[in-house]
């Protein structure tokens, strides 16, 4: 079956500034794809093009096999969108807002059901201007799912939500995924991506710099073994550890390794044989956070280098 | 925004009617809850006409007072209720990111503009019709020689001022600024009302003023309503049904031109979100 979302070499510029510089990815039906990235990386700019809100400056977008900009009328009834920043008239109540939106849709859910899904039923009669930031966010989500979409676009759906509301949102997204809905979301919460994403991409400065499953993206990063040596044991006494880089900030030693088991075996055998106590010993597999930070900082270095070269 | 023909088809299909109605229902609620807009919509045109009549405007013309009242009210309803109110409404929705949110749904662009405009348009047209039915006979008015022209004038005026309102949002940064940014159109059009023979007798308006004034957006509307209701041309002649069509050609052309200009400016400059 065709992919639900296909984005190939998409570009978008604001005036002279190119915010999206050739982005390519695809999302299979029923899959959740997460776009991660630093502030200003171009996630929202990319998403708006996929939603059909803006025409791409270059490249090609297909949503359910159609051009979301040119075929807007055909695509819109099948997608649901939650913008990073969207507004509602302040003087309407929650129910009035949802009812208005439902009136514009081809096959909406009952309004009460949608409000129930995001836990806003008890606020139904309250004016939008009296909602808290998180409640407003959830109203936005309710509207995004109101039309029973096949593809859902969520731009930072849980930003500003309390931990419980965030869990509820995750539950809702999982239920939708179980029903076969395709989801493309952006988030700054790496645990959210780890929890929900089948595949993800990390964007930086308008480009995708890592993509794959969480495991694949994390696999590019070394695991970390760290410990403190007693003052009586100089660092030079440490053995050669296989394929590992040793970082030492004075008292703590950090070993970055692609082969955590071999490194640990070598280290622990050496400690036993030399009767050395490894204090605060810890071994951590690579994390998504680490992969994310590595992307952000390595690219920064590249920019600095480019700037130096330019001077 | 697509071609005008597409827009018309879109607006005439059942789905479009349902979507526009949903949005318009919400906009009615918002209008009712906004006191300033309510005052502008319901009271301002009537108050202005009463005020102008009170200081003797329109008495020196040889037109029946009923026709003068209907024409003036239609003019002020178009200016305040349609034009001014809608510039404020469109800008408010744009700055609150409401337009942006609406645009990711199933509503087409033209439907968003139409749904937002509908309550104000209905209020304006209702005022004109009410005045024509109730006030005109009370002040005295003969059977209109060509009522169709008057209706055309009102309908065309509505379309024109909705488009001009949408286009005017391009140079209106926020709702407060609407009070200033609408002044050029409002003042010009009020000038047109004064010099179009409704307030001051047609023959006491210098020809040169008259030549320029006929191109002001409101002038063809006023001319058409007057012509339709009384058979009187801007030059002061009185014509019958058949001849009134020939006299209507020029104002109809100017009206069509302003509608085209408004639609063009809208497509070229209208922004759906606040300036980034
Ligand atoms: N309307 C606009 N006009 C000009 N520049 C813009 C506009 N919108 C975004 N940009 C720029 O484009 C770049 C990408 O912005 P975008 O909003 O897509 O980033 P993002 O990845 O969504 O960031 P965040 O995580 O902060 O939401 C930024 O440098 C931003 O300053
Ligand atoms: Mg963003």
């Amino acid at each position: 079956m065709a992919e639900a979302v296909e984005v190939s070499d998409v570009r978008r510029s604001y005036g002279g500034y190119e915010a999206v510089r050739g982005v390519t990815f695809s999302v299979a039906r029923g899959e959740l794809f997460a776009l991660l990235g630093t502030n200003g990386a171009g996630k929202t700019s990319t998403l708006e093009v996929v939603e059909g809100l803006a025409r791409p400056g270059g490249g090609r977008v297909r949503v359910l096999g159609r051009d979301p900009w040119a075929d807007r009328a055909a695509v819109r009834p099948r997608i649901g969108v939650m913008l990073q920043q969207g507004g509602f008239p302040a003087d309407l109540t929650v129910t009035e807002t949802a009812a208005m939106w439902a009136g514009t849709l081809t096959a909406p859910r009952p309004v009460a059901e949608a409000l129930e899904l995001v836990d806003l039923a008890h606020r139904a009669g309250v004016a939008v201007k009296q909602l808290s930031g998180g409640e407003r966010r959830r109203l936005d989500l309710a509207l995004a799912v109101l039309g029973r979409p096949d593809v859902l676009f969520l731009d930072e759906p849980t930003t500003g939500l309390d931990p419980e509301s965030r869990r509820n949102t995750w539950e809702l997204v999982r239920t939708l995924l179980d029903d076969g809905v395709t989801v493309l979301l952006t988030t700054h919460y790496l645990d959210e991506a780890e929890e929900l994403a089948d595949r993800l991409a990390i964007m930086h400065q308008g480009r995708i710099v890592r993509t794959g499953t969480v495991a694949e993206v994390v696999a590019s990063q070394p695991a970390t073994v760290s410990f403190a040596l007693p003052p009586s044991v100089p660092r030079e006494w440490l053995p050669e550890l296989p394929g590992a880089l040793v970082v030492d900030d004075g008292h703590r030693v950090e070993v970055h390794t692609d082969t955590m088991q071999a490194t640990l075996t070598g280290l622990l055998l050496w400690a036993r044989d030399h009767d050395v106590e490894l204090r605060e010993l810890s071994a951590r597999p690579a994390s998504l956070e680490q992969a994310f930070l590595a992307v952000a900082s390595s690219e920064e270095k590249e920019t600095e280098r480019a700037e130096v070269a330019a001077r | 925004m697509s071609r005008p023909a597409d827009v018309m088809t879109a607006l005439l299909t059942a789905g479009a009617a349902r979507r526009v109605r949903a949005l318009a229902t919400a906009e009615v609620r918002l209008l009712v809850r906004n006191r300033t807009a309510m005052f502008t919509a319901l009271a301002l045109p009537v108050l202005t006409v009463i005020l102008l009549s009170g200081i003797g405007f329109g008495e020196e013309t040889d037109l029946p007072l009923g026709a003068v009242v209907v024409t003036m009210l239609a003019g002020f309803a178009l200016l305040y209720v349609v034009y001014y109110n809608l510039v404020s409404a469109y800008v408010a929705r744009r700055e609150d990111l409401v337009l942006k949110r609406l645009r990711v749904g199933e509503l087409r662009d033209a439907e968003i503009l139409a749904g937002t405009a509908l309550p104000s348009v209905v209020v304006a047209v209702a005022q004109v019709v009410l005045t024509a039915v109730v006030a005109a006979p009370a002040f005295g008015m003969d059977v209109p020689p060509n009522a169709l022209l008057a209706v055309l004038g009102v309908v065309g005026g509505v379309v024109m001022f909705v488009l001009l309102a949408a286009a005017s949002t391009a140079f209106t940064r926020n709702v407060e600024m609407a009070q200033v940014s609408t002044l050029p159109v409002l003042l010009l059009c009020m000038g047109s009302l004064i010099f179009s023979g409704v307030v001051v007798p047609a023959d006491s308006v210098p020809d040169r003023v008259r030549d320029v004034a006929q191109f002001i957006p409101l002038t063809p509307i006023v001319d058409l309503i007057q012509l339709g209701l009384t058979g009187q041309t801007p030059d002061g002649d009185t014509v019958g049904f058949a001849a009134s069509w020939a006299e209507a050609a020029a104002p109809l052309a100017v009206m069509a031109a302003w509608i085209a200009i408004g639609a063009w400016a809208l497509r070229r400059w209208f922004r759906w979100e606040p300036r980034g």
Side-chain angles (χ1 to χ4, degrees):
Chain A
M1 204 192 289
E3 306 274 7
V5 177
E6 289 177 75
V7 175
S8 51
D9 200 25
V10 160
R11 295 170 179 277
R12 184 172 178 193
S13 300
Y14 300 103
Y17 178 71
E18 193 169 42
V20 181
R21 306 173 182 186
V23 162
T24 302
F25 64 89
S26 64
V27 188
R29 301 234 177 172
E31 189 179 45
L32 187 143
F33 191 92
L35 269 183
L36 311 181
T38 43
N39 289 132
K43 304 180 293 296
T44 298
S45 302
T46 304
L47 218 51
E48 285 181 358
V49 169
V50 184
E51 292 155 357
L53 204 52
R55 197 207 297 260
R60 203 181 100 116
V61 183
R62 288 292 176 272
V63 174
L64 297 167
R66 288 170 185 271
D67 181 335
W69 173 266
D71 272 346
R72 189 169 141 180
V75 174
R76 285 295 168 76
R78 303 187 59 192
I79 69 174
V81 175
M82 180 174 176
L83 295 169
Q84 180 170 6
Q85 276 190 317
F88 307 109
D91 289 329
L92 293 181
T93 68
V94 169
T95 298
E96 286 166 354
T97 305
M100 181 265 282
W101 193 251
T104 68
L105 301 174
T106 307
R109 295 173 198 272
V111 164
E113 179 189 317
L115 295 182
E116 197 70 53
L117 283 177
V118 299
D119 230 347
L120 267 186
H122 63 294
R123 305 290 279 161
V126 175
V128 166
K129 65 182 168 202
Q130 283 158 10
L131 294 181
S132 74
E135 287 170 339
R136 218 167 290 190
R137 216 65 201 121
R138 276 146 56 198
L139 174 59
D140 211 332
L141 180 61
L143 299 207
V145 301
L146 197 54
R148 308 175 198 273
D150 294 328
V151 184
L152 193 55
F153 299 98
L154 305 173
D155 199 347
E156 299 194 21
T158 63
T159 295
L161 296 198
D162 65 60
E164 195 203 344
S165 301
R166 169 166 323 152
R167 296 268 158 194
N168 290 342
T169 302
W170 290 359
E171 274 314 309
L172 172 57
V173 169
R174 274 199 211 97
T175 312
L176 294 169
L177 288 169
D178 288 344
D179 292 344
V181 176
T182 307
V183 184
L184 174 54
L185 68 72
T186 77
T187 182
H188 286 298
Y189 301 108
L190 300 173
D191 55 338
E192 188 162 299
E194 279 173 333
E195 191 76 28
L196 295 174
D198 296 301
R199 288 185 310 124
L200 60 88
I202 302 180
M203 283 188 75
H204 193 66
Q205 298 177 344
R207 293 192 180 83
I208 288 182
V209 286
R210 294 277 185 286
T211 185
T213 62
V214 173
E216 284 164 2
V217 169
V218 168
S220 63
Q221 295 300 312
T224 305
V225 174
S226 76
F227 50 88
L229 286 174
S232 57
V233 182
R235 217 200 57 163
E236 288 72 29
W237 289 6
L238 279 174
E240 278 289 328
L241 294 170
L245 167 77
V246 179
V247 179
D248 180 8
D249 72 348
H251 45 284
R252 281 195 70 78
V253 180
E254 240 181 47
V255 185
H256 293 176
T257 170
D258 293 330
T259 51
M260 182 157 75
Q261 187 181 348
T263 307
L264 272 178
T265 308
L267 180 69
L268 292 175
L269 287 177
W270 169 81
R272 188 187 64 189
D273 294 347
H274 295 76
D275 202 17
V276 173
E277 187 200 357
L278 298 172
R279 281 178 224 152
E280 298 163 41
L281 173 66
S282 81
R284 272 180 290 123
S287 67
L288 188 55
E289 182 177 9
Q290 199 179 327
F292 184 92
L293 293 175
V295 163
S297 68
S298 78
E299 299 284 316
E300 257 159 38
K301 274 180 207 128
E302 262 167 44
T303 324
E304 275 163 29
R305 237 178 278 144
E307 274 165 8
V308 170
R311 263 184 244 137
Chain B
M1 186 119 345
S2 38
R3 280 170 293 123
D6 294 344
V7 172
M8 283 312 291
T9 348
L11 288 178
L12 292 175
T13 62
R18 174 175 48 78
R19 293 190 289 268
V20 169
R21 195 170 58 231
L23 181 55
T25 308
E27 284 290 336
V28 168
R29 294 202 164 100
L30 292 169
L31 181 64
V32 171
R33 286 169 198 174
N34 180 342
R35 279 194 201 157
T36 321
M38 272 300 264
F39 176 77
T40 309
L42 294 183
L44 208 51
V46 179
L47 286 181
T48 310
V49 172
I50 292 175
L51 189 82
L52 285 179
S53 316
I55 56 177
F57 268 175
E59 278 171 6
E60 292 133 49
T61 66
D62 34 12
L63 292 167
L65 192 57
V68 171
V69 168
V70 172
T71 312
M72 284 211 290
L73 190 110
F76 285 114
L78 287 173
L79 291 182
Y80 296 142
V81 187
V82 177
Y83 180 70
Y84 176 79
N85 242 1
L86 284 183
V87 173
S88 308
Y90 286 141
V91 169
R93 306 286 175 269
R94 181 190 69 201
E95 296 302 305
D96 290 346
L97 295 164
V98 172
L99 294 184
K100 180 170 186 173
R101 187 69 179 78
L102 289 173
R103 265 191 111 216
V104 294
E106 292 186 34
L107 287 155
R108 321 272 163 93
D109 290 352
E111 294 164 8
I112 296 176
L113 296 178
T116 307
L118 201 56
S120 301
V121 168
V122 168
V123 169
V125 171
Q127 284 179 23
V128 176
V129 171
L130 236 118
T131 313
V133 171
V134 179
F139 292 120
M141 189 174 77
D142 301 331
V143 176
N146 192 348
L148 193 59
L149 276 184
V151 172
L152 255 176
V154 172
V155 172
V158 164
V159 174
M160 178 199 292
F161 281 102
V162 169
L163 292 172
L164 290 180
S168 300
T169 61
F171 49 83
T172 311
R173 270 190 165 268
N174 52 48
V175 183
E176 290 72 44
M177 218 187 117
Q179 296 171 1
V180 180
S181 69
T182 52
L183 280 182
V185 169
L186 288 180
L187 291 179
L188 257 181
C189 290
M190 287 185 197
S192 132
L193 257 184
I194 290 172
F195 292 117
S196 58
V198 180
V199 175
V200 179
D203 42 16
S204 69
V205 177
D207 281 353
R208 195 169 300 159
V209 172
R210 181 64 220 170
D211 287 346
V212 177
Q214 63 175 321
F215 296 110
I216 296 173
L218 190 60
T219 309
I221 314 295
V222 168
D223 288 352
L224 287 171
I225 296 176
Q226 258 186 86
L227 189 62
L229 291 183
T230 68
Q232 218 181 71
T233 68
D235 308 330
D237 305 334
T238 305
V239 296
F241 178 81
S244 67
W245 286 106
E247 289 293 333
L252 280 174
V254 175
M255 184 173 88
W258 274 111
I259 289 176
I261 290 171
W264 173 80
L266 165 72
R267 290 185 57 169
R268 179 137 171 56
W269 285 301
F270 191 80
R271 286 185 292 111
W272 293 95
E273 32 186 309
R275 204 179 286 280

